[in-house]
Amino acid sequence: MTYNVDEKGYYGSFGGAYIPEMLYPNVEELRQQYLKIIEEDSFQEEFNELLSDYVGRPTPLYFAKRLSEKYGAKIFLKREDLNHTGAHKVNNTIGQILLAKRLGKQKIIAETGAGQHGVATATVCALMGMECIVYMGALDMERQQPNVERMRILGTKVVPAHSGNKTLKDATNEAMRHWINHPVDTHYIIGSVVGPHPYPDMVARFQSVISEEMKAQLLEKTGGEDPDYIIACVGGGSNAAGAFYHYLDKKDVKLIAVEAAGKGVDTDESAATTALGNPGVLHGSKTLLMQTEDGQVIEPYSISAGLDYPGIGPVHAHLFESGRAHFYSATDSEAMEAGLLLSKLEGIIPAIESAHALAGLEFIEFKSDDVVVLNLSGRGDKDLGTYIKWGGY
Ligand SMILES: *Cc1c(COP(=O)(O)O)cnc(C)c1O
């Protein structure tokens, strides 16, 4: 059994490309070209040079001594929070914009919910001098004003979506419509391991630099490449996919995914897809999603904007169903406490998304010589307002 994608874009029974006829030419062009382009030496050279000189990779693997003492294991933090723009998302947007250039595209579109993916996309478009439009729900634009202004400063046009709930789903619909009308000159940058094949695999490959670096860093620091545990938070699942990627077939490495339980999985304010969801089609792929009995997508809730997504990428649906990865969910308050704890113990204020992964440390019984890598997906600067409102520090 393999846990990675097959040539049709399936992870077990999940994945594929469930798209309207009108989008077929765009997605098919990408499917035919992506592997060929990504594997070219010149692509790899440019990608790696930008990851090193622009993003600041490799990110450190930091042995968190005080956190380790607290949990009774050897805990390392993979410091994705130290990337340019403050999170792992830029690994993917750099990869996709280089791909778009090689496909001869002149324009980039994206959709964004909280604005983090929009900012990572606007950043690489400025870097490459490419025209960029980001679709964003009108309500999200009000709630995330600083990110809207960041994108504008970077030269991106932010277009409000006024339909539906005026949130992520509506922005996605607008972006799809734009792409259908501009198939030749435009590339659509999706921000997580979601969407129709080949997006989940493409994004996972760009993020796989995380586990590639981990292997070398662990070898140097512990004498072996394989940790006992890898822990990551899951919204769509891109930082987790990158952290798990090179370990998927190493059964001794336990893969731990932490979703956002919101106010609790027994309330109707949650985003814990594996606990509450079932199979269906979301954003072009077959996966697990939170839906009503007649298939309406349920609006998710989490204190963390980046985990507030009603599904998970098909790779994670498969890892869950096959039992290869263990899924937990952390509530808002468990995550906030874990974020404040890391701040006090290690002098690192994490993104609230990453704080959910930290809350996962509470759920596991470690042995004292266990080596644990926790993927610290982002930094907490963007979340200062939420920390202040929460209080308790
Ligand atoms: C967007 C985001 C996430 C969630 O996205 P994934 O695709 O699940 O990784 C997690 N952490 C941070 C810091 C983010 O910005």
Side-chain angles (χ1 to χ4, degrees), residues 6 24 122 211 264 342 356 390:
D6 70 17
Y24 184 79
S211 48
L342 187 76
H356 285 73
W390 189 265

Side-chain angles (χ1 to χ4, degrees), residues 87-89 116 192 233-239 306-307 351 353-354 377-378:
H88 65 291
K89 284 195 173 71
Q116 296 305 113
S192 189
C233 64
V234 171
S238 67
N239 86 87
L307 303 185
E353 291 86 357
S354 321
S377 56

Side-chain angles (χ1 to χ4, degrees), residues 14-299:
F14 298 107
Y18 297 77
I19 48 170
E21 189 77 36
M22 308 261 280
L23 258 187
Y24 184 79
N26 312 40
V27 173
E28 181 58 14
E29 178 189 30
L30 208 54
R31 190 189 68 78
Q32 286 182 8
Q33 300 290 335
Y34 84 111
L35 283 180
K36 208 161 58 191
I37 293 176
I38 292 173
E39 283 164 6
E40 279 167 9
D41 288 343
S42 70
F43 181 95
Q44 282 297 324
E45 260 167 47
E46 197 177 352
F47 183 51
N48 289 326
E49 191 175 314
L50 284 171
L51 287 183
S52 126
D53 298 350
Y54 185 72
V55 175
R57 304 201 71 93
T59 58
L61 185 73
Y62 164 67
F63 176 63
K65 184 157 170 285
R66 302 218 311 137
L67 193 70
S68 296
E69 278 162 11
K70 153 98 181 136
Y71 287 105
K74 297 184 185 120
I75 303 174
F76 292 86
L77 303 176
K78 182 62 174 156
R79 299 290 309 272
E80 293 302 297
D81 60 315
L82 295 178
N83 286 324
H84 176 50
T85 67
H88 65 291
K89 284 195 173 71
V90 72
N91 302 327
N92 168 48
T93 56
I94 295 240
Q96 284 200 50
I97 203 157
L98 293 179
L99 184 81
K101 276 210 316 187
R102 282 165 171 78
L103 288 170
K105 309 290 176 185
Q106 290 104 43
K107 295 182 184 160
I108 297 294
I109 55 167
E111 93 289 329
T112 196
Q116 296 305 113
H117 172 57
V119 171
T121 302
T123 299
V124 298
C125 288
L127 175 70
M128 292 295 163
M130 273 166 86
E131 200 180 315
C132 180
I133 299 177
V134 171
Y135 290 92
M136 193 166 181
L139 180 63
D140 287 339
M141 282 180 71
E142 273 171 39
R143 294 191 292 196
Q144 310 287 344
Q145 189 61 22
N147 277 340
V148 173
E149 297 311 323
R150 271 186 198 107
M151 288 185 267
R152 288 178 174 152
I153 289 169
L154 292 161
T156 280
K157 187 171 165 200
V158 184
V159 176
H162 290 290
S163 57
N165 292 329
K166 308 185 194 332
T167 59
L168 181 65
K169 181 160 52 66
D170 315 296
T172 305
N173 290 341
E174 296 288 326
M176 289 283 181
R177 198 164 308 143
H178 182 115
W179 206 23
I180 286 169
N181 291 326
H182 303 84
V184 177
D185 65 351
T186 300
H187 174 68
Y188 180 11
I189 298 190
I190 291 182
S192 189
V193 286
V194 300
H197 179 64
Y199 279 100
D201 183 49
M202 181 167 74
V203 176
R205 282 170 189 265
F206 292 142
Q207 293 293 358
S208 72
V209 64
I210 298 172
S211 48
E212 192 182 310
E213 289 172 4
M214 264 161 52
K215 284 201 300 184
Q217 291 168 323
L218 281 168
L219 184 62
E220 193 193 306
K221 286 175 199 292
T222 69
E225 283 188 348
D226 298 353
D228 296 289
Y229 292 88
I230 302 172
I231 306 178
C233 64
V234 171
S238 67
N239 86 87
F244 295 168
Y245 195 89
H246 290 287
Y247 293 101
L248 288 174
D249 292 320
K250 296 191 168 188
K251 300 274 174 60
D252 292 341
V253 180
K254 299 179 196 72
L255 307 177
I256 309 291
V258 186
E259 292 192 275
K263 305 232 164 112
V265 292
D266 48 2
T267 70
D268 51 14
E269 291 178 277
S270 183
T273 304
T274 55
L276 300 171
N278 42 48
V281 171
L282 181 68
H283 296 157
S285 72
K286 185 161 177 237
T287 189
L288 291 172
L289 66 139
M290 296 176 5
Q291 53 190 325
T292 61
E293 264 171 29
D294 49 1
Q296 296 295 319
V297 175
I298 292 173
E299 196 77 14

Side-chain angles (χ1 to χ4, degrees), residues 371-391:
V371 172
V372 179
V373 177
L374 188 138
N375 198 42
L376 202 72
S377 56
R379 59 180 176 244
D381 306 31
K382 69 181 177 61
D383 296 318
L384 201 62
T386 310
Y387 276 113
I388 292 168
K389 222 168 122 191
W390 189 265

